[in-house]
Amino acid sequence: MKDGLNYRKAGVDIEAGEEAVERIKDLAHSTFRPEVLQGLGGFGGLFAPDFSKMKEPVLVSGCDGVGTKLKIAFASGLHSTVGIDCVAMCVNDILVQGAEPLFFLDYLAVGKLKPEEVEQIVGGVAAGCRQAGCALLGGEMAEMPGFYPPGEYDLAGFAVGMVDKASIIDGSAIKAGDVLVGLASSGLHSNGFSLARRVLLEAAKMALTEYQPALKATLAEELLKPTTIYVKPVLEALGEFTVKGMAHITGGGLPGNLPRILPEGLTAEIDAQSWPVPPVFRVIEEFGPVKRDEMFRVFNMGIGYVLVASKAEAAALADYFNESGLAAYLIGEVVSGAGEVNITG
């Protein structure tokens, strides 16, 4: 008599899933805040926020993924940093409105579950949560045979934060004469990888393991630099300065993201010579070749986060970040206009 079918033969390894959960328990626990009421393993994560700290607490949520940057992790076998990207893309978004991230949930779907690989991926998620000061409260890990090509997976995340209603930053106070303070990115962050891969791996035929003198790193090392998490330095700065608006520079670059916070009748004038553009962008622009306008429309070009402050406070705000070790530049100003972003230099 033939042996019957079972879940393992269908492609799902329950034991491997249980091993993966055991491997990541301590990683999650390393991120816990006092408000977390239980450990990993329940059907839902319990979090008891201290609403007494605020007059009118407002919850702020966001979700995002890592995108095709994951293709670089698949090809290189390096999985320890993409989790940081996943956290960063979510917490930087809710930070824009002044929210402190409280907790994070991740979603990891794989074709074939490998516990040691899951441990690397979730290790990155936990590292990102520690950087942001939020708890990795739970998540989902799904083995989906036949759904993803061998060696591939998808990773997405969900963040919840809190801000006092009176302290919500929405850009409504921005006016002509205000100054744009740009915070440096670590490189590509997690945007534009479809174009970057097309240029670097296909057009320029660069190998991921090959050292690139212009980048002072291998291509894989450069492309897998994790997205900068701006949470702690920005929250600290909000306690010292009046910030009128903030923007996370992701897909769409400066031209696509700054207009989202500008009141009607205002335009952002940006001087592209006011900060050093990381070499990876110059390499992509040259080898594409990619037109300058397209570069700014797709990539962050070295500025990952922008704050808007009055002319009286902007220089001191930039100095505050620079003294804390996060490079900041005065990159432009707000003027009367039709809601555009004009980039010169």
Side-chain angles (χ1 to χ4, degrees), residues 15 27 36 147 153 220 255 276 299:
E15 287 76 16
L27 294 172
V36 177
F147 199 84
Y153 55 83
F299 302 109

Side-chain angles (χ1 to χ4, degrees), residues 96-97 165-176 178 243-246 258-264 266 308 334:
V96 163
Q97 290 164 297
K165 188 174 183 180
S167 300
I168 292 174
I169 299 172
D170 60 7
S172 60
I174 296 173
K175 62 182 183 180
D178 288 339
V243 174
K244 300 182 178 185
M246 298 189 288
L258 278 179
R260 298 166 67 178
I261 63 166
L262 292 176
E264 188 175 353
L266 296 178
V308 184
V334 178

Side-chain angles (χ1 to χ4, degrees), residues 23-32 40 79-88 104-106 118-138 155 229 232:
R23 286 172 176 257
I24 65 177
K25 276 185 176 179
D26 289 343
L27 294 172
H29 192 269
S30 72
T31 71
F32 282 1
L40 211 63
H79 306 282
S80 61
T81 60
V82 290
I84 300 176
D85 291 294
C86 189
V87 175
F104 186 83
L105 303 171
D106 66 337
V118 170
E119 185 176 15
Q120 291 179 47
I121 297 166
V122 179
V125 174
C129 286
R130 290 192 296 270
Q131 287 184 38
C134 62
L136 177 54
L137 196 58
L155 180 64
I229 293 177
K232 289 184 178 179

Side-chain angles (χ1 to χ4, degrees), residues 22-53:
E22 285 300 316
R23 286 172 176 257
I24 65 177
K25 276 185 176 179
D26 289 343
L27 294 172
H29 192 269
S30 72
T31 71
F32 282 1
R33 297 163 51 118
E35 300 96 326
V36 177
L37 298 187
Q38 69 173 26
L40 211 63
F43 286 92
L46 301 179
F47 191 94
D50 183 3
F51 291 120
S52 67
K53 295 192 301 183

Side-chain angles (χ1 to χ4, degrees), residues 88-217:
M89 297 303 290
C90 297
V91 297
N92 286 344
D93 273 356
I94 65 174
L95 175 66
V96 163
Q97 290 164 297
E100 174 193 357
L102 299 177
F103 59 85
F104 186 83
L105 303 171
D106 66 337
Y107 172 77
L108 174 62
V110 302
K112 179 65 177 176
L113 197 151
K114 300 176 182 177
E116 65 280 2
E117 190 173 280
V118 170
E119 185 176 15
Q120 291 179 47
I121 297 166
V122 179
V125 174
C129 286
R130 290 192 296 270
Q131 287 184 38
C134 62
L136 177 54
L137 196 58
E140 165 69 355
M141 181 171 56
E143 188 172 22
M144 301 167 64
F147 199 84
Y148 296 98
E152 297 198 358
Y153 55 83
D154 198 11
L155 180 64
F158 312 82
V160 173
M162 186 167 67
V163 62
D164 200 328
K165 188 174 183 180
S167 300
I168 292 174
I169 299 172
D170 60 7
S172 60
I174 296 173
K175 62 182 183 180
D178 288 339
V179 176
L180 306 174
V181 177
L183 304 184
S185 71
S186 59
L188 291 176
H189 282 185
S190 298
N191 300 105
F193 269 81
S194 295
L195 178 56
R197 289 187 300 111
R198 180 71 178 269
V199 171
L200 300 174
L201 299 179
E202 297 181 26
K205 300 189 183 305
M206 294 182 180
L208 288 172
T209 56
E210 184 180 344
Y211 181 83
Q212 301 294 333
L215 304 176
K216 298 181 180 179

Side-chain angles (χ1 to χ4, degrees), residues 28 59 76 89 127 159 170 175 198 240 244 253 268 277 296 330 342:
L59 296 179
S76 65
M89 297 303 290
D170 60 7
K175 62 182 183 180
R198 180 71 178 269
E240 302 290 332
K244 300 182 178 185
V277 175
F296 274 94
L330 302 181
N342 297 324

Side-chain angles (χ1 to χ4, degrees), residues 242-283:
T242 300
V243 174
K244 300 182 178 185
M246 298 189 288
H248 183 200
I249 309 306
T250 57
L254 289 162
N257 287 284
L258 278 179
R260 298 166 67 178
I261 63 166
L262 292 176
E264 188 175 353
L266 296 178
T267 283
E269 295 280 356
I270 295 176
D271 177 6
Q273 299 296 316
S274 59
W275 74 88
V277 175
V280 65
F281 298 109
R282 301 300 189 200
V283 172

